[in-house]
Amino acid sequence: MIIDPPYLIFLGDVPDALAAKTGLGIVDWRPDWCIGQLRLPGCQADAGIPDLSIAEAKSRGVKTMVVGAVNAGGVLPPHWISPIVEALDAGLDVATGLHVRLSSVPEIAEAAARSGARLHDVRFSDQRFATGKGTRRPGLRLLTVGTDCSAGKKYTALALEREMRARGWDADFRATGQTGVFISGRGVSIDAVVADFISGAVEWICPAADPGHWDLIEGQGSLFHPSFAGVSLGLLHGAQPDAFVVCHEPTRTTMRGVSHPLPSIQEVIDLTIACGRLTNPAIKCTGIAVNTQKLNESDARVLLDGYAADFGVPATDPIRFGVTNLVDRLEGFGQNR
Amino acid sequence: MIIDPPYLIFLGDVPDALAAKTGLGIVDWRPDWCIGQLRLPGCQADAGIPDLSIAEAKSRGVKTMVVGAVNAGGVLPPHWISPIVEALDAGLDVATGLHVRLSSVPEIAEAAARSGARLHDVRFSDQRFATGKGTRRPGLRLLTVGTDCSAGKKYTALALEREMRARGWDADFRATGQTGVFISGRGVSIDAVVADFISGAVEWICPAADPGHWDLIEGQGSLFHPSFAGVSLGLLHGAQPDAFVVCHEPTRTTMRGVSHPLPSIQEVIDLTIACGRLTNPAIKCTGIAVNTQKLNESDARVLLDGYAADFGVPATDPIRFGVTNLVDRLEGFGQNR
């Protein structure tokens, strides 16, 4: 799936920033792609970029309006249809990660047919994949894994890409979720793929590359999450990572959406290696990324130092302290560094 | 999904019996439903039932032609379209477990429209599921797992159902694959479900039941298969089995469709318990089911005795020696036995 930038970020009239996290994430990571935002009356989110009408966005070269907000249930509120139709009539493509297909709304399907603009339903995958083969591919791969969902896996992979590129390394973020697809303009929402093709789709996402090239692959879920572990395992096998970073939120007591306790970081390392060596016998943990938002800086540093000592790998909060130590660890990992 | 028997089993021109396992499985478990087989020139599979033309099948009362063979990738070979169209024109429904929807082939869609016959795509799930929750449900559950695909998981679960019912136990086979759905007339092809809903769909397949009721859940793939392990893990978490039986084919050296070696039975037991305890801390291995087809009877018995001693559970070849020892082991497992 290829989505053409630049973008107009549609935030609707969502009640808070959390409901607009997709849009805000795109602006964080691809500010150059985000020409403006479109907000409806009452919108309580603000991406900090110019408010533009659809006509203004069009005149400034916007190619795609991205629905960067979500309301409860992921459905499309009826009053969002009109601005979407207006964008299509102006010749903009429209992209969403909602649980409904844009083309299932007759007014939207008709508008797209009228203008020839494209509809991107990032949460749906119409692409055909082969089943995974597990054959070793050249290139270096790092996968972010988690003790839970929403533990910083996408952020960590993006931060690693940014730091590696700043050092002149050949590195690409590989998206496996909807926000990541918007940020990179390509990729697959891996949880939307038919179950038989999880690992095959991931093999497609991070194909054979130059021996010194790094893929920074966005993980999903957790091998210990009773809802999504199948996705996480197929992703691990398809990614065949040389290295993985464990992402963790230390104040959480139960996994998101269920009543199960979080696994320990050690359990995640052990099971990731036990399963991951099927497609890459050399798999190893190379870092811990912790969301320390709820700790003061001193407590955060103590926690990270403890993890680094316990697991023998660098630990950081990517947002608070950056990822230089994680990338330092990967210096000389391949042949062509 | 209701599929009307009796069936004509279409075997195409597949190169070996394994590629016709769907058709052969239906004939094994529902011989009364299988009036005949339709084979194309060069077919190397034989279900051991009369070869019938479509006209002959129609005249003998067949209601549905089941495509009981699959080629690599699950696509529909172009030369299978003509017999499918002929069947539809004769008024037979057509059912398949292929990876393409029958209705996506124009000639087939047109023939179905002409005759009013129905198209059943068992591998596609249009049903909506919730995500898995991992909450413990009453009832007893046994899952068959494997060292590989095509290692006897469905057969073993069906044999256990038959033996338990013969003893008057309250037991139901739960289908998770296309052949199982054809055999039981219900279930979900779990590998066709969107990845996010694997465990949720399995929770739906084997819901809360009476405390003494056994679900015999058909496993899929293997936790060690690089193509399908994600499906196997979601199935394990959704099934939350109290007991599992490891299915194994001892002469195979590499896993089906890939170049990876088979895991050992011990590795499968260990990883199944390590992962399965997430949703059922009491999970245990209660038996080994071995396909000894390529061994003579004496060698088979030696092998099974060795497994039983090594793993401390009964071992059998369900086809050759039945599953009485596996069911004996489950006597008194629940409260209401």
Side-chain angles (χ1 to χ4, degrees):
Chain A
M1 182 174 292
I2 306 287
I3 301 171
D4 290 338
Y7 298 156
L8 173 67
I9 306 297
F10 177 83
L11 298 183
D13 51 354
V14 291
D16 56 26
L18 197 57
K21 67 172 185 168
T22 297
L24 303 186
I26 302 168
V27 175
D28 275 349
W29 291 101
R30 294 294 184 263
D32 295 349
W33 288 3
C34 298
I35 305 293
Q37 61 185 348
L38 177 59
R39 300 188 294 167
L40 302 181
C43 183
Q44 298 298 312
D46 185 353
I49 55 176
D51 287 291
L52 299 181
S53 70
I54 286 166
E56 289 166 339
K58 176 69 178 174
S59 73
R60 296 193 192 187
V62 163
K63 293 279 198 298
T64 302
M65 183 169 88
V66 176
V67 177
V70 67
N71 68 344
V75 302
L76 182 66
H79 61 289
W80 290 11
I81 295 175
S82 160
I84 290 172
V85 166
E86 186 186 342
L88 293 166
D89 279 336
L92 303 185
D93 295 342
V94 175
T96 88
L98 299 176
H99 279 292
V100 288
R101 282 181 196 265
L102 286 169
S103 61
S104 72
V105 180
E107 302 96 300
I108 293 175
E110 287 158 17
R114 271 199 302 274
S115 70
R118 295 181 305 163
L119 302 175
H120 298 295
D121 294 299
V122 175
R123 198 179 284 270
F124 294 85
S125 174
D126 294 323
Q127 191 170 343
R128 302 287 292 272
F129 298 100
T131 55
K133 287 301 173 198
T135 310
R136 291 283 288 135
R137 307 185 295 281
L140 296 164
R141 290 173 189 81
L142 182 147
L143 175 68
T144 53
V145 304
T147 53
D148 192 8
C149 306
S150 307
K153 292 184 284 290
K154 177 179 75 271
Y155 191 100
T156 301
L158 282 161
L160 289 168
E161 179 198 52
R162 187 162 58 188
E163 175 66 19
M164 286 184 173
R165 287 182 171 183
R167 298 184 187 196
W169 297 15
D170 185 16
D172 285 302
F173 169 76
R174 299 301 192 186
T176 62
Q178 50 169 319
T179 305
V181 171
F182 292 137
I183 290 171
S184 62
R186 64 180 179 197
V188 174
S189 237
I190 199 68
D191 57 6
V193 168
V194 168
D196 231 5
F197 302 101
I198 303 171
S199 61
V202 177
E203 292 182 0
W204 179 90
I205 288 171
C206 49
D210 288 341
H213 175 274
W214 276 103
D215 276 330
L216 291 322
I217 305 159
E218 175 192 9
Q220 295 291 334
S222 164
L223 288 176
F224 290 88
H225 197 295
S227 308
F228 309 119
V231 173
S232 306
L233 183 59
L235 211 171
L236 174 61
H237 285 159
Q240 56 177 240
D242 305 280
F244 66 92
V245 169
V246 180
C247 301
H248 181 56
E249 207 288 49
T251 68
R252 218 175 280 173
T253 54
T254 59
M255 305 189 83
R256 260 179 99 74
V258 296
S259 55
H260 296 65
L262 256 71
S264 69
I265 291 173
Q266 188 64 58
E267 286 175 305
V268 171
I269 292 173
D270 291 346
L271 189 58
T272 301
I273 291 173
C275 293
R277 65 187 171 209
L278 178 72
T279 55
N280 190 339
I283 184 172
K284 62 177 66 160
C285 177
T286 63
I288 315 288
V290 186
N291 178 349
T292 64
Q293 189 174 16
K294 295 184 181 166
L295 306 181
N296 67 41
E297 183 164 330
S298 157
D299 287 350
R301 289 198 184 275
V302 168
L303 184 78
L304 293 173
D305 288 348
Y307 286 155
D310 288 349
F311 302 112
V313 294
T316 189
D317 179 332
I319 295 179
R320 202 168 203 169
F321 304 122
V323 295
T324 56
N325 61 345
L326 299 185
V327 176
D328 289 347
R329 179 68 166 221
L330 302 170
E331 276 281 3
F333 199 100
Q335 297 301 312
N336 301 328
R337 191 76 329 113
Chain B
M1 184 180 290
I2 304 293
I3 302 171
D4 290 339
Y7 298 155
L8 172 67
I9 305 296
F10 176 83
L11 298 182
D13 51 354
V14 291
D16 57 28
L18 204 52
K21 67 171 183 162
T22 295
L24 304 186
I26 301 168
V27 175
D28 275 349
W29 291 100
R30 296 291 185 265
D32 294 349
W33 290 1
C34 298
I35 304 294
Q37 61 185 346
L38 176 59
R39 300 187 293 166
L40 303 181
C43 183
Q44 299 298 312
D46 185 354
I49 54 178
D51 287 291
L52 298 181
S53 69
I54 285 165
E56 289 167 337
K58 176 70 178 174
S59 73
R60 295 193 193 188
V62 163
K63 293 281 196 298
T64 302
M65 182 168 89
V66 176
V67 177
V70 67
N71 68 344
V75 302
L76 182 66
H79 61 288
W80 290 10
I81 293 175
S82 160
I84 290 173
V85 167
E86 186 186 344
L88 292 166
D89 279 336
L92 303 186
D93 295 341
V94 175
T96 89
L98 298 175
H99 278 294
V100 287
R101 282 181 197 265
L102 287 169
S103 60
S104 72
V105 179
E107 301 97 300
I108 292 175
E110 288 158 17
R114 270 199 302 275
S115 70
R118 295 181 304 164
L119 302 175
H120 299 295
D121 294 300
V122 175
R123 197 181 283 271
F124 289 85
S125 171
D126 293 323
Q127 191 170 342
R128 301 287 292 270
F129 298 100
T131 55
K133 288 300 173 200
T135 310
R136 291 282 290 135
R137 308 184 295 278
L140 295 164
R141 290 174 188 80
L142 182 148
L143 175 68
T144 53
V145 304
T147 54
D148 193 7
C149 305
S150 306
K153 292 182 285 291
K154 178 183 72 271
Y155 191 100
T156 301
L158 282 161
L160 289 168
E161 178 198 53
R162 187 162 56 189
E163 176 66 19
M164 285 184 175
R165 287 182 170 183
R167 297 183 187 195
W169 298 14
D170 184 16
D172 285 303
F173 169 75
R174 299 300 192 186
T176 62
Q178 50 172 320
T179 307
V181 172
F182 290 135
I183 291 170
S184 65
R186 63 180 180 192
V188 174
S189 239
I190 199 68
D191 58 6
V193 169
V194 168
D196 232 4
F197 303 101
I198 303 171
S199 61
V202 177
E203 291 181 1
W204 178 89
I205 287 171
C206 49
D210 288 340
H213 175 273
W214 276 102
D215 275 330
L216 291 320
I217 304 159
E218 176 192 9
Q220 293 293 332
S222 164
L223 288 176
F224 291 87
H225 197 295
S227 308
F228 309 118
V231 173
S232 306
L233 182 58
L235 211 171
L236 174 61
H237 284 160
Q240 55 178 239
D242 305 280
F244 66 93
V245 170
V246 180
C247 302
H248 180 57
E249 206 289 50
T251 68
R252 219 177 280 175
T253 55
T254 59
M255 305 188 83
R256 213 165 147 73
V258 296
S259 55
H260 296 66
L262 256 71
S264 70
I265 292 173
Q266 188 65 56
E267 285 175 305
V268 170
I269 292 173
D270 291 346
L271 190 58
T272 301
I273 291 173
C275 293
R277 64 186 171 208
L278 179 73
T279 55
N280 191 339
I283 183 172
K284 63 177 66 160
C285 177
T286 63
I288 315 288
V290 187
N291 177 348
T292 64
Q293 190 173 15
K294 295 183 180 166
L295 306 180
N296 67 40
E297 182 164 333
S298 157
D299 288 349
R301 289 198 183 276
V302 169
L303 184 78
L304 294 172
D305 289 348
Y307 287 155
D310 289 348
F311 303 111
V313 295
T316 188
D317 179 331
I319 295 179
R320 202 168 201 168
F321 304 122
V323 295
T324 55
N325 60 345
L326 300 186
V327 176
D328 288 346
R329 178 68 167 221
L330 301 171
E331 276 281 4
F333 199 99
Q335 297 303 312
N336 301 328
R337 187 83 321 116

